[in-house]
Amino acid sequence: MKIGFVGLGIMGLPMAQNLKKAGHDILAPERASLKPEARADFTILPDATAVAAAAEVIIIMVPDTPDVEAALFGAGGVAAGLSAGKVVIDMSSISPTATKDFAARVAAKGCGYLDAPVSGGEVGAKNAALTIMIGGSQADFDRALPLFQAMGKNITLVGDTGAGQTCKVANQIIVALNIEAVAEALVFASKAGADPAKVRQALMGGFANSRILEVHAERMINRTFNPGFRINLHQKDLNLALQAAKELGVALPNTASAQQLFSAVAAKGGAALDHSAMVQALETLAAHEIKAG
Amino acid sequence: MKIGFVGLGIMGLPMAQNLKKAGHDILAPERASLKPEARADFTILPDATAVAAAAEVIIIMVPDTPDVEAALFGAGGVAAGLSAGKVVIDMSSISPTATKDFAARVAAKGCGYLDAPVSGGEVGAKNAALTIMIGGSQADFDRALPLFQAMGKNITLVGDTGAGQTCKVANQIIVALNIEAVAEALVFASKAGADPAKVRQALMGGFANSRILEVHAERMINRTFNPGFRINLHQKDLNLALQAAKELGVALPNTASAQQLFSAVAAKGGAALDHSAMVQALETLAAHEIKAG
């Protein structure tokens, strides 16, 4: 199948390479930033309009909501090249509400639309082991399933348009709050004189266990805060959560608190550290000195 | 071995029965509340002083810090029956700081002391599958290890006296905050129109996965809030966390927030519900109506 791929960055490039390995032809728009591997393996066309005109399915993998809007509807964008019967798959992590608007505008061209954000990071992208959370119609999902299977492992049609992005936001809420939970527990245990490595080991057998206790608690204990997943990206995702919560009339008190702790770490130069570095905000609070004047 | 057991309640009775099955003699103090099985299988002595005088190891399994103090140092308590060379094992979940005081007073009698709180609940107690987190000396731990192995599976010497209780508090912090995390995510997803059961399924393959997502999210989705682990017990444990945090100079912002959500549910009659019912506080906030006057 001819697949257009817009956004060949840290995530997009290995995802497109896995589609290529599965036997598909990859078409990508010209960018000054294209990596040599992309130029060698993929067909480069002048812009995303030309890509959409030539491809059957067009995948978008860019950082944020305005980037998806530009990729779809900006000058030389995907929408101008669409004709009836094609499918657009947005695998970026963006606003659930904006997604419904984008899908409606694509549907007006007679095309399908799937929101299909991922988790699993660069390692998951390279190993074709991404978790993919999908919103859209069953028919579009069935058509795209072989492509998803070339890029990921845990593939779920969550619901209608926007449900994939909603699910990804829910994922990022839980990941942030589980990091915060482990951080509170380990700072508490350390200050009480216990060895946090032994505490982690003891807790892994019970109800406190989580992927975050397995992976991120170890990072906190070993002080290895190279990403991983950067705090500034998680801040973007929690902004999506808090903005959508405001629109929906939902209170997310601990998500708001975790966002503030991320902000405290980012403000001191930690924005590019792994999100497990959130623990440093709690450590700072536990270590600070108060002066009388 | 002759083992004294003080506190044959929902947890203590099956734990003592598992020790009996492993070939030990169980001695217990007279109580009006003793179950018929306890009277049939164990040797009942007039009080805990007599139990401690006759046993080599004395296990305590009672609800809270004042109960342990009374069991040890109250009238007819364990301490009055101790002589050099015995070991006291407190398997209750109580204050880490009070534990250090109790251990010192027991050590003054020439006896060992282990704090060894558990997690895994009534099911874990019955199936000899408890997680046991232990503080104390290596020598006392080695001596008691066969007893722990008769009651539990994941057995860790975390550190010196108090480290077991500190670890248990850390466990209860993480469990409460992971419940809160899952609750925020599922309420958000529901209000955004996604099916929370499918969201849970999709998230279980990635970094958001946890024992709480597996077990407690399912309770939230199926609306099965029979305990399980009661909110009023978890409130007790978070009180221990917040009290110890104050003594240690540690800030636990999300633990405090989770405690308030438990309080909101308890105040409306939910104190005896499973702790996963915390979700109802967030649901109430999302559903409330504001009036102009």
Side-chain angles (χ1 to χ4, degrees), chain A residues 154 178 184 202 211 254-255 257, chain B residues 154 178 184 202 209 254-255 257:
Chain A
N154 184 35
N178 284 9
E184 288 200 14
R211 289 282 288 143
N254 284 6
T255 300
S257 164
Chain B
N154 184 35
N178 285 9
E184 288 200 13
N209 199 24
N254 285 6
T255 300
S257 164

Side-chain angles (χ1 to χ4, degrees), chain B residues 92-182:
Chain B
S92 323
S93 293
I94 68 161
S95 158
T97 46
T99 290
K100 291 180 188 175
D101 172 53
F102 299 162
R105 291 158 75 185
V106 166
K109 302 239 169 196
C111 296
Y113 189 98
L114 296 170
D115 50 299
V118 305
S119 78
E122 191 180 350
V123 174
K126 285 184 174 162
N127 300 337
L130 293 166
T131 292
I132 311 179
M133 300 152 257
I134 300 138
S137 75
Q138 185 72 50
D140 288 334
F141 174 79
D142 292 343
R143 191 166 158 198
L145 184 55
L147 308 186
F148 293 138
Q149 287 168 334
M151 295 182 282
K153 287 228 166 85
N154 184 35
I155 298 157
T156 310
L157 178 61
V158 179
D160 292 338
T161 299
Q165 298 295 355
T166 295
C167 190
K168 177 67 191 284
V169 170
N171 185 77
Q172 296 304 80
I173 289 172
I174 293 178
V175 169
L177 296 189
N178 285 9
I179 287 173
E180 211 281 342
V182 165

Side-chain angles (χ1 to χ4, degrees), chain A:
Chain A
M1 194 189 292
K2 285 190 177 173
I3 301 172
F5 210 111
V6 180
L8 295 168
I10 291 172
M11 296 291 292
L13 180 58
M15 289 163 70
Q17 286 172 322
N18 283 325
L19 288 168
K20 171 91 178 171
K21 273 185 217 158
H24 300 288
D25 293 328
I26 308 299
L27 318 178
E30 179 60 55
R31 292 277 189 283
S33 58
L34 277 178
K35 300 242 171 64
E37 310 92 281
R39 292 190 187 281
D41 293 345
F42 308 150
T43 302
I44 310 300
L45 297 176
D47 59 18
T49 303
V51 166
E56 184 181 337
V57 170
I58 303 95
I59 295 174
I60 300 172
M61 188 63 180
V62 294
D64 205 349
T65 309
D67 306 304
V68 174
E69 184 160 30
L72 282 170
F73 307 110
V78 168
L82 290 177
S83 53
K86 299 179 189 253
V87 178
V88 172
I89 307 176
D90 176 29
M91 303 189 75
S92 322
S93 293
I94 69 162
S95 159
T97 46
T99 289
K100 291 179 188 175
D101 172 53
F102 298 164
R105 291 158 76 184
V106 165
K109 301 236 169 198
C111 297
Y113 189 98
L114 296 170
D115 51 299
V118 305
S119 78
E122 190 180 352
V123 172
K126 285 183 174 163
N127 298 338
L130 292 167
T131 291
I132 311 180
M133 299 152 258
I134 300 138
S137 75
Q138 185 73 50
D140 289 334
F141 173 79
D142 292 342
R143 191 166 158 198
L145 185 56
L147 309 185
F148 293 137
Q149 288 168 334
M151 296 183 280
K153 288 226 166 86
N154 184 35
I155 298 158
T156 310
L157 179 61
V158 179
D160 292 337
T161 301
Q165 298 295 354
T166 294
C167 190
K168 177 65 191 286
V169 169
N171 184 78
Q172 296 303 82
I173 289 172
I174 293 178
V175 169
L177 296 189
N178 284 9
I179 288 174
E180 212 279 343
V182 165
E184 288 200 14
L186 293 187
V187 171
F188 173 84
S190 295
K191 287 284 280 189
D195 176 351
K198 287 196 178 159
V199 169
R200 171 179 169 274
Q201 196 58 44
L203 299 190
M204 281 175 64
F207 274 114
N209 199 23
S210 65
R211 289 282 288 143
I212 299 302
L213 186 68
E214 290 166 14
V215 176
H216 296 73
E218 193 164 45
R219 286 172 164 272
M220 294 177 198
I221 291 163
N222 296 340
R223 317 307 288 179
T224 51
F225 295 125
N226 53 317
F229 189 78
R230 289 189 176 82
I231 280 178
N232 56 6
L233 287 174
H234 213 147
Q235 288 182 290
K236 184 208 87 174
D237 292 336
L238 295 192
N239 278 341
L240 288 177
L242 295 168
Q243 180 59 39
K246 190 176 170 189
E247 293 165 14
L248 294 165
V250 176
L252 303 178
N254 284 6
T255 300
S257 164
Q259 179 75 316
Q260 294 303 310
L261 294 174
F262 276 146
S263 293
V265 177
K268 296 298 180 183
L273 294 181
D274 185 71
H275 49 176
S276 56
M278 187 204 278
V279 70
Q280 293 191 36
L282 294 169
E283 288 168 343
T284 302
L285 283 171
H288 74 292
E289 288 178 24
I290 297 292
K291 291 159 190 165

Side-chain angles (χ1 to χ4, degrees), chain B residues 242-284:
Chain B
L242 295 167
Q243 180 59 40
K246 191 176 170 188
E247 294 165 14
L248 295 165
V250 176
L252 302 178
N254 285 6
T255 300
S257 164
Q259 178 75 316
Q260 293 303 310
L261 295 174
F262 276 145
S263 293
V265 178
K268 296 298 178 184
L273 294 181
D274 185 72
H275 50 177
S276 56
M278 187 204 277
V279 70
Q280 294 191 36
L282 294 169
E283 288 168 344
T284 301

